[in-house]
Amino acid sequence: QVQLVESGGGLVQTGGSLALSCTASGLTFSIYDMGWFRQAPGKEREVVTAITWSRNTYYADSAKGRFTISRDNAKNMMYLQMNGLKPEDTAVYYCAAARRGGSWSPGGMDYWGKGTLVTVSS
């Protein structure tokens, strides 16, 4: 079965950096559009950034200039480099896959990981 496993979350101070990873199995990773989503307490899940199978990228306004998404199809992995972290970035970060992405709405994703918690202290 399809599994997406996030890693790399943790506690960081404002202005710090974290690198998240997503390891995928059970799917042909190279043909899937992939995304990073997050959900803060009391808020809806939202897209942070995404990368298509052809490596086109999308960034939410909150991520532009601070976060970088990448993928390594040979390793079935996706990455999220987060710099200049702010307290408002505190959330559970989820890796998600879609056979046909584009809208990047949570409802449009086919598979989800269980998430990794990122906490940014002020």
Side-chain angles (χ1 to χ4, degrees):
Q1 74 275 24
V2 175
Q3 282 194 312
L4 302 175
V5 180
E6 303 92 341
S7 61
L11 174 64
V12 65
Q13 291 185 335
T14 296
S17 299
L18 275 178
L20 305 184
S21 299
C22 171
T23 303
S25 61
L27 77 170
T28 306
F29 182 75
S30 61
I31 65 172
Y32 273 78
D33 296 334
M34 301 293 298
W36 287 102
F37 293 72
R38 69 185 181 187
Q39 188 166 16
K43 295 188 176 181
E44 294 186 352
R45 193 169 298 189
E46 61 179 5
V47 63
V48 177
T49 178
I51 185 167
T52 69
W53 67 271
S54 59
R55 301 181 188 275
N56 292 320
T57 57
Y58 165 83
Y59 290 92
D61 288 344
S62 59
K64 289 178 181 176
R66 300 189 299 130
F67 295 179
T68 302
I69 190 171
S70 61
R71 64 189 296 164
D72 184 336
N73 290 342
K75 295 182 178 180
N76 283 8
M77 293 190 71
M78 178 177 65
Y79 306 98
L80 177 61
Q81 177 65 44
M82 302 186 292
N83 299 325
L85 284 162
K86 307 173 182 179
E88 52 263 44
D89 295 317
T90 295
V92 177
Y93 283 71
Y94 297 91
C95 166
R99 180 61 185 89
R100 187 180 299 276
S103 67
W104 305 123
S105 67
M109 307 306 288
D110 299 321
Y111 302 104
W112 291 89
K114 294 183 178 180
T116 185
L117 177 62
V118 171
T119 304
V120 184
S121 63
S122 57

